[in-house]
Amino acid sequence: MTEHDGRVSSSSDAADSQQTDECGCDDACTVDSERGEESDVAHAGDSIADESTFSSASFGVPEMDCPTCAGKVESSVRKLDGIGEVDPRVTSGELTVSYDPQRTTTADITDRIERAGYDVESSPDSDVRTLTLSVPDMDCASCAGKVENALTTVPGITDYETRPTTGTVVVSLSQSVTPDSVIDAVEGAGYEVVSSASDDADGGGDTADAERESIWRSTRAMKTWVSGGFLAAGLVTEYALGLELVIATLLSVSITLPELLYLVGAGIGGQAILRNGYYSARNRSLDIDFLMSAAIISAIAASLISASTSLYFEAATLAFLFSVSELLERYSMDQTRNSLRELMDLSPDEATVKRDGQEVVVPVEELVVGDVVVVTPGEKIPADGTVVSGESAVNQAPITGESVPVDKTEGDEVYAGTINKAGALEIRVESAAGDDTLSRIVSMVEDAQANKTEREQFVERFSSYYTPFMVVVAVGVALIPPLAFGADWVTWFVHGITMLVLACPCAFVISTPVSVVSGITAAARNGVLIKGGSHLEAMGSVEAVALDKTGTLTKGELTVTDVVPLNGNSEEDVLRCARGLEMRSEHPIGEAIVTHADANGASSRSVSGFKSITGKGVRADLDGVPHYAGNPTFFEELGFDLEHSHVVETNDELQDEVRSLCDQQGCLNLVSDTIPRLQAEGKTVVLVGREDEIEGLVAVADELRPDARETVQRLHDFGLSVVMLTGDNERTAGAIADAVGVDDYRAGLLPEDKVSAVENLQAEYGSVAMVGDGINDAPALATATVGIAMGAAGTDTALETADIALMADDISKLPYLYDLSHSATSVIKQNIWASLAVKALLAVGVPLGYVGVALAVLAGDAGMTLGVTGNAMRLARISPKN
């Protein structure tokens, strides 16, 4: 929320002021109070449409990726008649428009978006739909490459995204394309599609996930173990028993018993490798499957061509060990995917709903908004909703990360996936399946994979050069020494095959995404939503944290602490006046004053001509008489003498401030006595009066969060600088700053000043995280290196605008967030450089004779894949408690 000079002023107040200044119609303008922008400006005399007849439409505008872009699009759309609310979301590239179907159409809106210079990727008129495929065998970058190559051959596919870390493929396709043709293309690349779901499918289509087969009991695993058995039998026969019996002749080349065992082992273990290699060749993909297939075939072919060459053992070893490596890679990737599946599994499959006077059990997907569900103790809440009956404690840890259950009673909000601990609850469903907070979290965590870090992009670029380069090196190693120096063909041919094994960049490529997925899902389980690897990485490298005061360091629950009547007025007079002035304000200060006045029985007054004056206060006519409420600076500008004010009903705390130096008994010097004292206590002072007289003052305070000081200290322990930003006056800001122990503070900031303050901090520190409420602080959050929203659970706007969202209203999660992000950045660096170092060492050892096929597969491929995955999974052990 934005605060100005001792008086907090909401964005809506600012917008109201600007609107009044520009059009002069005061109450004739309808303002979106939450976003602080013109929503549907209807001047007096114009016909105002009945918004109950409005429809809503969403448009995919991917190029709308900054506030300036959003402003251009919104401005263009608003030129149409019948436009209501326009909500551009730059983080998702989506524009939602409320419009009157009688006055405009979605085609008109699409045209206005395109006239602003932005392509519309999807719209209500678009024939584009989305198909999500589950492809569990696609677990590495080379696998994804083959799938992508296959998808490019299907006409009508407009876009696709492969996600190896979750084993899913998301395809955008026109209505003319059948899902079966897409599935056939993926399976034609050599990967089984185990389930699919279309966004327009009724009931979700084939979305039921079968029980996942254990990777160690899969068909490929069985073939691998059999292959290993033949390899072991060959070794025993050749070296333990010394049986060199010739049992077959093929192409005039004799084959001994051990060689036959090796050949059978290579055939069984290499079946899946050769199959995948075939698909790689068909899709023109130079990946590990193609390289391993080439190596196995080359070894067997060389053995059959030359009687003096026997590389059956190498072929069998390569087939067996590479199959083991693939199984290990699949297993390690499954561990990463499980962290996301745990989030998906939080929501129950069924719900007990009251229909026609009876309780019936239905699938969660069949719940509709307005249904009343019954949740007994120990059950998971099936949907976002509001408690209509019952009392209980609810464990919200799956969503917010809060360790202590939260008491819920009638009227309280609850979230899908949370657990009812005590009494039975009846809950009215407020969000349909798929639109609840948990679903949005899961969706955002999945989408976060598309937000690639700079390191991930570098790795992908590097790997595109690495593999072809290593293939050239492998060919050179196999040919140059025998041709140029007369070296042994067999020895250097094996060295060449070994270099082909090292040409696979799998461990190197997955080193970053597995770390990102592990870090993001670990954060989500602890109530922190990180919307992409780039934000995770950026948070780990910030040097300073800027904290908004109200609602971040303080609870954001303002209460009236002092009411001082002046100049012959009573406390009731002051409250009546203050209530009338603030009743139209949606600002927390105004709400606190109105709540206090109502609690004390203050009567209503006729209000007209309300106007918000940004950064200063408000003005309105009460019973036809102009009145003002605002900060001391505002009243000084109005010409009031704050050094001489008459107090009538002084309370005990102010008795010692009554001056007898003035001719008139009971005179207060507000400037030097009362206002400074209240501000030094961290209170905000609001003066109330007419054009010619101050009627009194009201002091409002916001309680500090109990863990605010500890949080700031823990951030200091990490070596971070902490700065507080506030619109409050210097004295109040200083009091709060001293209480929490921040390094510095900026006071008296208008909304644009907060943006400037963040820019100045970036110039000073390099990278800065800004923490606010995600709504009123949106401009400053967008300006910072990382924008962090507090208390985002159930708040669509905060989830959309922030880079990172703390789902609970809990500032103590900040140190955990930095620790996790910093550790994730370190893990990513470790994985990248370790992968490169191991590959380099093995490559150097190959021509020296120290590294053979077995070591190259076990250390360079399987070992590093397990290593980088295991290192990434360590992030799950970091928790707020630690």
Side-chain angles (χ1 to χ4, degrees), residues 709-725:
R709 186 174 183 85
E710 181 185 355
T711 297
V712 172
Q713 182 57 51
R714 290 180 64 192
L715 292 175
H716 284 155
D717 293 341
F718 283 121
L720 300 176
S721 297
V722 183
V723 180
M724 182 182 77
L725 305 182

Side-chain angles (χ1 to χ4, degrees), residues 348 351-355 359 367-377 379-396 406 408-421 423-431 436:
T352 302
V353 60
K354 300 179 75 172
R355 289 179 179 170
E359 294 183 2
L367 292 177
V368 297
V369 175
D371 275 344
V372 175
V373 296
V374 179
V375 184
T376 57
E379 289 185 339
K380 293 179 180 178
I381 294 175
D384 285 1
T386 303
V387 177
V388 295
S389 177
E391 296 181 358
S392 182
V394 175
N395 179 4
Q396 298 190 151
V406 179
K408 299 290 182 180
T409 186
E410 185 175 340
D412 288 339
E413 186 178 28
V414 292
Y415 307 118
T418 56
I419 305 168
N420 182 22
K421 303 293 289 184
L425 294 175
E426 292 188 4
I427 300 166
R428 182 176 60 251
V429 176
E430 304 289 356
S431 297
D436 53 74

Side-chain angles (χ1 to χ4, degrees), residues 176 242 394 482 603 757:
S176 60
V394 175
S603 58

Side-chain angles (χ1 to χ4, degrees), residues 62-247:
E63 295 174 352
M64 183 185 67
D65 54 10
C66 68
T68 302
C69 306
K72 285 194 292 185
V73 171
E74 181 173 357
S75 177
S76 180
V77 170
R78 287 199 179 282
K79 292 181 180 179
L80 294 170
D81 292 333
I83 297 297
E85 182 179 353
V86 179
D87 183 13
R89 299 177 178 178
V90 295
T91 53
S92 60
E94 183 177 334
L95 179 76
T96 302
V97 181
S98 174
Y99 68 99
D100 183 357
Q102 302 299 320
R103 301 167 66 188
T104 193
T105 66
T106 54
D108 294 333
I109 298 173
T110 299
D111 179 63
R112 291 308 311 177
I113 297 172
E114 292 176 343
R115 283 173 178 264
Y118 298 89
D119 293 332
V120 178
E121 186 176 86
S122 61
S123 71
D125 304 306
S126 172
D127 66 349
V128 176
R129 54 180 172 161
T130 301
L131 179 68
T132 302
L133 307 177
S134 177
V135 190
D137 289 336
M138 184 192 69
D139 52 15
C140 66
S142 61
C143 306
K146 279 193 288 187
V147 171
E148 291 170 358
N149 289 340
L151 291 174
T152 58
T153 65
V154 182
I157 291 181
T158 60
D159 193 19
Y160 54 79
E161 181 185 345
T162 53
R163 300 171 178 173
T165 47
T166 54
T168 56
V169 180
V170 181
V171 183
S172 297
L173 62 157
S174 63
Q175 296 289 348
S176 60
V177 181
T178 63
D180 287 343
S181 64
V182 179
I183 294 172
D184 290 342
V186 174
E187 293 187 337
Y191 297 93
E192 181 186 4
V193 178
V194 299
S195 68
S196 63
S198 177
D199 59 2
D200 61 355
D202 187 15
D206 182 22
T207 57
D209 289 333
E211 287 294 322
R212 289 183 58 83
E213 181 183 33
S214 169
I215 188 62
W216 305 116
R217 296 192 300 272
S218 64
T219 302
R220 181 164 187 178
M222 295 300 103
K223 291 180 179 179
T224 300
W225 308 142
V226 173
S227 171
F230 277 98
L231 175 61
L235 289 171
V236 171
T237 302
E238 181 175 4
Y239 296 104
L241 303 178
L243 297 177
E244 294 290 342
L245 299 175
V246 176
I247 61 172

Side-chain angles (χ1 to χ4, degrees), residues 811-834:
I811 193 176
S812 67
K813 293 289 178 66
L814 280 177
Y816 161 72
L817 170 60
Y818 177 79
D819 188 17
L820 176 70
S821 301
H822 189 70
S823 298
T825 302
S826 298
V827 165
I828 290 172
K829 291 178 181 177
Q830 293 165 11
N831 284 349
I832 290 175
W833 293 114

Side-chain angles (χ1 to χ4, degrees), residues 504-527:
C504 171
C506 284
F508 178 59
V509 172
I510 70 170
S511 60
T512 299
V514 296
S515 303
V516 168
V517 171
S518 179
I520 289 176
T521 52
R525 287 197 300 273
N526 287 286

